[in-house]
């Protein structure tokens, strides 16, 4: 085998509960992740040295050692004590700096692609553990579906999810820095509990699959901080709430906003209405699978 392509999904957080800053500088989280149908495709081929490229230029994606896909490749070879390298090519379908964990998806895809390219037979536990060292959202990108995230988000436990929904994904022309949103959250909320509570009611609602109940229980602790940093998002939010009072959500640290629909035709109507208002949006189903091989050659 000379080339492997792995597809990895974007994530949203149906609930994002943020706790105190831990001694390691990360925030304790209690989150419910859902993988949604926007994808990056990552292709790997053996090479003399590490390299990363994009199929099409995309602003904000580093093309060197800073790219999280290269860090993932190096972490996997270090785990196996290998002196090998690869050229990594990324086709980006996930918005950059959109709060949908596109970089994390690329890291997860790279781990899986290199494991298969070199037939390393890394155990799932080891892949998840290596993923957790790369970033809080990387283990979930391997898992997909719907899952509870605890620790700093890297401890993932699948959640039974009987729902099948369509998200209208409202994109923003400008990204929002995740560290900046967390820093402002700390200023706004100095007295949060060390461990945020697990959202049991949402977990239960997902088990029943009732979209209305799920819509009522969507929550994101980072929203006030994101609104402060990007006041322009408030107008968009007001517009979205006038169309779907209970199904509007900020994706992760933003600035992407989401509108929940059970019915795909209604979701398409919302996309058409928002597009007519000059907004850039797309549709994504959820939940979808985690990182998976799409091509071996
Ligand atoms: P988060 O996971 O924090 O919610 P995000 O979805 O908002 O992140 P990403 O698109 O993952 O944002 O990018 C976050 C940062 O990671 C950017 O500043 C970008 O420069 C850097 N980065 C490193 N590697 C990648 C990659 N492969 N794709 C996108 N961004 C990358």
């Amino acid at each position: 085998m000379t080339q492997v392509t792995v597809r990895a999904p974007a994530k949203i957080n149906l609930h994002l509960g943020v706790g105190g800053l831990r001694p390691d500088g990360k925030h304790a989280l209690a989150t419910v992740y859902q993988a949604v149908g926007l994808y990056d495709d990552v292709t790997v081929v053996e090479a003399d040295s590490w390299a990363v490229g994009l199929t099409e230029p995309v602003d904000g994606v580093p093309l060197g050692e800073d790219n999280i896909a290269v860090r993932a490749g190096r972490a996997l070879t270090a785990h196996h004590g290998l002196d090998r390298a690869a050229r990594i090519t990324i086709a980006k379908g996930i918005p950059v700096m959109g709060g949908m964990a596109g970089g994390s998806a690329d890291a997860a895809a790279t781990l899986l692609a290199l494991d298969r390219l070199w037939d390393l037979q890394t155990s799932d536990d080891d892949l998840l553990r290596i993923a957790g060292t790369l970033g809080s959202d990387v283990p979930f990108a391997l898992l997909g579906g719907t899952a509870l995230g605890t620790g700093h988000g890297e401890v993932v436990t699948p959640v039974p999810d009987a729902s099948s929904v369509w998200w209208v994904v409202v994109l923003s022309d400008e990204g929002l820095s995740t560290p900046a949103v967390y820093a402002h959250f700390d200023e706004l909320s100095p007295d949060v509990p060390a461990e945020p509570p697990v959202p049991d009611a949402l977990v239960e609602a997902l088990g029943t699959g009732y979209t209305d109940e799920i819509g009522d229980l969507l929550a994101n602790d980072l929203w006030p901080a994101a609104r402060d940093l990007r006041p322009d998002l408030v107008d968009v939010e007001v517009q979205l709430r006038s169309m779907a009072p209970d199904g509007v959500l900020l994706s992760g640290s933003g600035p992407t906003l989401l509108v929940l629909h059970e019915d795909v035709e209604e979701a398409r109507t919302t996309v058409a209405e928002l597009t007519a208002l000059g907004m850039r949006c797309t549709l994504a189903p959820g939940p979808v699978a985690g990182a998976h091989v799409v091509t071996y050659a």
Side-chain angles (χ1 to χ4, degrees), residues 60-62 66-68 90 92 95-103 106 137 178:
V61 179
D66 287 353
N67 195 297
I68 191 169
I90 305 171
K92 286 224 70 95
V96 176
M97 288 180 80
M100 301 191 82
D106 298 345
D137 301 333
T178 302

Side-chain angles (χ1 to χ4, degrees), residues 73-111:
R74 285 196 182 277
L76 189 70
T77 49
H79 172 78
H80 288 284
L82 293 173
D83 184 18
R84 297 178 91 161
R87 173 162 187 84
I88 303 165
T89 305
I90 305 171
K92 286 224 70 95
I94 304 176
V96 176
M97 288 180 80
M100 301 191 82
S104 301
D106 298 345
T110 303
L111 290 176

Side-chain angles (χ1 to χ4, degrees), residues 7-294:
R7 177 164 294 174
K11 65 84 194 161
I12 62 174
N13 305 78
L14 305 180
H15 175 100
L16 181 48
V18 183
L21 198 54
R22 311 182 330 170
D24 64 3
K26 298 181 168 112
H27 287 83
L29 298 185
T31 186
V32 176
Y33 293 111
Q34 184 169 85
V36 300
L38 298 177
Y39 302 96
D40 283 0
D41 282 356
V42 173
T43 301
V44 294
V45 291
E46 174 104 27
D48 292 336
S49 58
W50 290 103
V52 61
L54 296 167
T55 52
E56 284 173 31
V58 182
D59 283 349
V61 179
L63 295 178
E65 290 288 330
D66 287 353
N67 195 297
I68 191 169
V70 176
R71 292 206 287 117
R74 285 196 182 277
L76 189 70
T77 49
H79 172 78
H80 288 284
L82 293 173
D83 184 18
R84 297 178 91 161
R87 173 162 187 84
I88 303 165
T89 305
I90 305 171
K92 286 224 70 95
I94 304 176
V96 176
M97 288 180 80
M100 301 191 82
S104 301
D106 298 345
T110 303
L111 290 176
L112 187 62
L114 290 176
D115 179 75
R116 300 304 189 259
L117 179 75
W118 292 327
D119 195 19
L120 300 176
Q121 303 193 12
T122 319
S123 69
D124 285 355
D125 276 356
D126 281 350
L127 277 179
L128 287 168
R129 203 180 41 72
I130 298 165
T133 66
L134 295 164
S136 303
D137 301 333
V138 183
F140 176 69
L142 284 171
L143 195 66
T146 303
L148 186 65
T150 53
H152 57 84
E154 89 289 10
V155 181
V156 283
T157 311
V159 165
D161 184 353
S163 75
S164 176
V165 300
W166 290 90
W167 296 96
V168 175
V169 179
V170 185
L171 302 162
S172 189
D173 288 336
E174 210 185 309
L176 196 46
S177 150
T178 302
V181 175
Y182 273 96
H184 191 48
F185 170 86
D186 290 336
E187 287 166 5
L188 293 179
S189 319
D191 296 320
V192 289
E195 295 291 335
V198 168
D200 294 323
L202 174 62
V203 171
E204 205 172 306
L206 287 163
T208 67
Y210 294 131
T211 312
D212 288 351
E213 246 176 78
I214 295 166
D216 279 346
L217 293 167
L218 300 173
N220 186 338
D221 284 353
L222 295 178
W223 211 335
R227 281 191 196 104
D228 272 4
L229 297 178
R230 285 285 302 275
D232 59 302
L233 290 179
V234 177
D235 290 343
V236 181
E237 184 189 338
V238 167
Q239 176 64 44
L240 300 181
R241 283 196 191 283
S242 73
M243 299 161 83
D246 292 325
V248 179
L249 181 65
L250 177 78
S251 182
S253 55
T256 305
L257 288 161
L258 304 156
V259 189
L260 175 65
H261 284 282
E262 188 175 68
D263 181 83
V264 68
E265 288 309 326
E266 284 176 21
R268 287 197 181 113
T269 304
T270 301
V271 168
E273 286 173 6
L274 294 175
T275 306
L277 291 170
M279 294 182 205
R280 203 157 54 86
C281 44
T282 186
L283 263 190
V288 300
H292 53 281
V293 174
V294 286

